[in-house]
Amino acid sequence: MSISDRFAELAHIRDSLGSLAADPSRVVMERFLSPTEAVIGNRPTILVGTNNYLGLTFDPGILNAACDAMHAEGSGTTGSRMANGSFSSHAALEAEFAEFYGVPSAMIFSTGYQTNLGLLMGLLKPGDKVVLDAHSHACIYDGCRISGADFFAFQHNDPEDLRKRLRRLGPDAKGALVIAEGLYSMWGDTAPLSDLCAVAKEFGAWLMVDEAHSFGVYGEKGLGLCEEAGILDQVDFITGTFSKSLASMGGFCVSRHPEMKLLRYGSRPYIFTASSSPASIAAAHAALRAIRSRPELKVRLWANAERLHRGLTGLGYRLASPPSPVIAVQVPSHEEAARMWNALLDEGVYVNLVVPPAAPEGASLLRCSLSAGHSFAQIDSIVAAFNTVRDGAAVPLSQSAG
Amino acid sequence: MSYESQDIEQEILSTLFRFLARFPSKAEKLTAQTSLTADLTLDSVSMMELLVEIEDHFDVGMPLNAMANVHTVQDLADQIKSLLENRS
């Protein structure tokens, strides 16, 4: 394919969104009123699609920490840690992640995407075997693809299918890498981690869990779904991002294996990327301490999730999963999803429009991500908006998608 | 190519034709050279479903990375044959 063909292909994708009059890239947040409200198109709009789970992006302590770090250490690091050296703040954040998880190894990366890319490219070589959940995030697929490993998908959240896939690998199952996520970002469902872990261990496979959407919101301490499932002592690698609950930009990987830190010498996305800026590191560090010291944030988030789930269920909407910080409304067609997404925006509510191929298994979704920063009044306004836009639907959604 | 190898390849191709028959085709007839994407317009979801069926039928695991080199029915048959040979 030539570059001009590729431009034509991309234009086709843009035009297909344009024909739905629902190109999310045209949404510009002109001014923020709070972590959960911004001015979009001159209109105050409730944000329920920004993964700001704990609502910490405007927390005064976090803002002050970021400002102080910028004044003390500068606006940027101007290079990678392997070339320019580490700032003490990078090392301190890694030490706190290791201490929080009670493990010997923690590494931080410049984005969440690069965390999974960096771990997988650092760990895997051509010929290695990986079995990943079919709903895994793009960065997991990309990391596997670039590594040159042979990778196989097991059916979403299906431990028996994982067992079948590992069995088919024969002797190669021992030492294979199994990958799952904690909370899946599109459907808002959680992985049966203790069952998946048992199957992986039965074959002598390694287990990696991406807690991008579950860190800070699951588990008694907020460590994620692995904590809640009681498998922290068995999972081999846990990754996460700073750009959700941690209200910043970057990512982390922790491991019970001390050798994981050796990836500093062989992970290209770690070696050849500028390290996170002092402000980003300080914000993430302050947010990490907020997760540890303010459990009420998690309580508030869950109360909001349950309230929205109850409200939408009461309106007859089909929801993809039980209450969680991600509540996805299933819509029969992408045209209808686009119409509703636009109508919700007109009502002053911003959600995520997810159409295939971004949505797994061909469904179209109106995806809501809750925040501890939402008030009950905002949740009720979101439900009211969903009620208003439903009235334009040709048939009740609860009866339409079979 | 031995007779046995040819037989295996024919059996794989026949099975694939059976699986693929349900997809609308732009080509007049399904052949080994039929393109999975251009002629059969298999989208990514259909392709994944098809792969699961094929894997279950032959009891093999098809690496997703290998699919980058699979364009025609023949390419798919070659992949399956290679996996079966490596297994035995």
Side-chain angles (χ1 to χ4, degrees):
Chain A
M1 179 185 278
S2 70
I3 291 173
S4 50
D5 287 342
R6 178 62 179 152
F7 281 150
E9 187 178 76
L10 293 170
H12 176 72
I13 293 170
R14 180 205 56 199
D15 294 346
S16 64
L17 288 170
S19 67
L20 296 170
D23 180 357
S25 68
R26 74 177 165 82
V27 172
V28 176
M29 291 165 198
E30 293 143 19
R31 189 163 54 89
F32 277 85
L33 306 172
S34 78
T36 56
E37 192 174 11
V39 175
I40 299 175
N42 285 322
R43 175 201 300 266
T45 303
I46 299 171
L47 306 175
V48 65
T50 58
N51 301 327
N52 195 354
Y53 297 125
L54 298 182
L56 291 172
T57 48
F58 286 86
D59 180 88
I62 292 172
L63 294 179
N64 285 336
C67 290
D68 290 348
M70 191 181 286
H71 284 287
E73 301 170 50
S75 57
T77 61
T78 67
S80 81
R81 290 171 68 181
M82 291 303 273
N84 291 22
S86 291
F87 287 28
S88 61
S89 52
H90 293 126
L93 182 53
E94 286 175 337
E96 181 143 357
F97 268 111
E99 184 262 322
F100 191 25
Y101 273 96
V103 295
S105 293
M107 280 177 67
I108 55 174
F109 294 81
S110 299
T111 68
Y113 180 96
Q114 286 182 330
T115 301
N116 283 336
L117 214 59
L119 178 66
L120 294 169
M121 287 174 66
L123 288 177
L124 300 170
K125 294 286 180 193
D128 289 344
K129 309 296 180 200
V130 181
V131 188
L132 51 84
D133 187 288
H135 285 201
S136 293
H137 189 268
C139 61
I140 294 174
Y141 278 95
D142 290 352
C144 291
R145 192 173 289 119
I146 297 170
S147 75
D150 292 331
F151 60 103
F152 309 80
F154 66 93
Q155 286 179 26
H156 178 53
N157 276 352
D158 187 341
E160 280 312 308
D161 198 57
L162 171 63
R163 178 178 278 113
K164 184 169 75 179
R165 306 266 158 195
L166 285 167
R167 179 184 57 74
R168 284 178 181 158
L169 289 179
D172 288 340
K174 185 176 165 60
L177 178 65
V178 171
I179 308 177
E181 296 183 22
L183 174 69
Y184 285 88
S185 64
M186 290 296 121
W187 283 7
D189 54 341
T190 54
L193 284 182
S194 77
D195 292 342
L196 295 175
C197 182
V199 174
K201 297 302 158 187
E202 181 186 320
F203 285 87
W206 301 73
L207 178 63
M208 165 186 166
V209 177
D210 179 358
E211 301 263 27
H213 290 263
S214 35
F215 178 78
V217 299
Y218 283 90
E220 193 179 335
K221 292 160 72 177
L223 292 169
L225 246 304
C226 290
E227 182 194 5
E228 192 153 301
I231 60 162
L232 279 174
D233 59 341
Q234 297 172 73
V235 63
D236 297 290
F237 306 100
I238 295 174
T239 57
T241 178
F242 299 169
S243 58
K244 291 167 177 73
S245 289
L246 288 168
S248 182
M249 179 98 175
F252 68 90
C253 178
V254 295
S255 175
R256 63 194 176 93
H257 304 288
E259 298 89 343
M260 192 271 284
K261 286 185 284 194
L262 294 170
L263 290 181
R264 293 185 205 282
Y265 304 97
S267 169
R268 292 169 68 84
Y270 176 85
I271 297 168
F272 296 103
T273 308
S275 56
S276 288
S277 74
S280 294
I281 294 293
H285 206 148
L288 180 59
R289 287 181 174 159
I291 286 172
R292 302 186 73 168
S293 62
R294 292 160 62 187
E296 67 274 14
L297 292 169
K298 207 170 52 172
V299 173
R300 180 76 202 181
L301 169 66
W302 279 98
N304 285 338
E306 279 157 19
R307 193 177 183 92
L308 182 62
H309 195 278
R310 199 165 47 243
L312 294 176
T313 304
L315 292 177
Y317 280 107
R318 293 168 61 91
L319 306 182
S321 54
S324 84
V326 173
I327 294 177
V329 175
Q330 295 176 310
V331 182
S333 70
H334 59 273
E335 290 85 0
E336 177 62 2
R339 184 198 68 74
M340 290 176 67
W341 180 79
N342 276 303
L344 284 166
L345 205 51
D346 289 343
E347 291 294 315
V349 173
Y350 175 74
V351 304
N352 302 126
L353 172 63
V354 188
V355 295
E361 300 185 16
S364 287
L365 304 172
L366 293 169
R367 173 188 180 272
C368 304
S369 53
L370 277 302
S371 173
H374 285 125
S375 65
F376 279 170
Q378 284 180 312
I379 300 296
D380 295 344
S381 296
I382 295 164
V383 173
F386 267 96
N387 188 33
T388 303
V389 305
R390 182 189 60 168
D391 293 340
V395 286
L397 289 170
S398 56
Q399 297 169 20
S400 52
Chain B
M1 189 186 289
S2 68
Y3 283 117
E4 191 187 356
S5 179
Q6 278 183 337
D7 286 348
I8 292 169
E9 186 172 321
Q10 274 312 312
E11 190 189 322
I12 295 170
L13 279 170
S14 316
T15 306
L16 291 181
F17 290 146
R18 206 168 62 240
F19 279 126
L20 291 166
R22 69 175 186 272
F23 296 104
S25 174
K26 290 178 191 167
E28 278 185 20
K29 187 168 177 269
L30 266 177
T31 70
Q33 296 315 311
T34 299
S35 163
L36 295 170
T37 49
D39 295 326
L40 292 176
T41 56
L42 274 174
D43 62 23
S44 56
V45 174
S46 305
M47 181 68 95
M48 290 302 286
E49 288 170 358
L50 176 68
L51 276 184
V52 168
E53 285 180 51
I54 291 169
E55 288 176 320
D56 285 347
H57 180 86
F58 292 102
D59 197 24
V60 293
M62 189 104 60
L64 295 177
N65 44 306
M67 292 307 292
N69 299 320
V70 171
H71 305 290
T72 64
V73 179
Q74 182 69 54
D75 295 337
L76 192 53
D78 290 344
Q79 274 296 331
I80 295 164
K81 191 170 167 222
S82 159
L83 288 166
L84 289 172
E85 285 168 353
N86 286 338
R87 190 180 62 184
S88 53

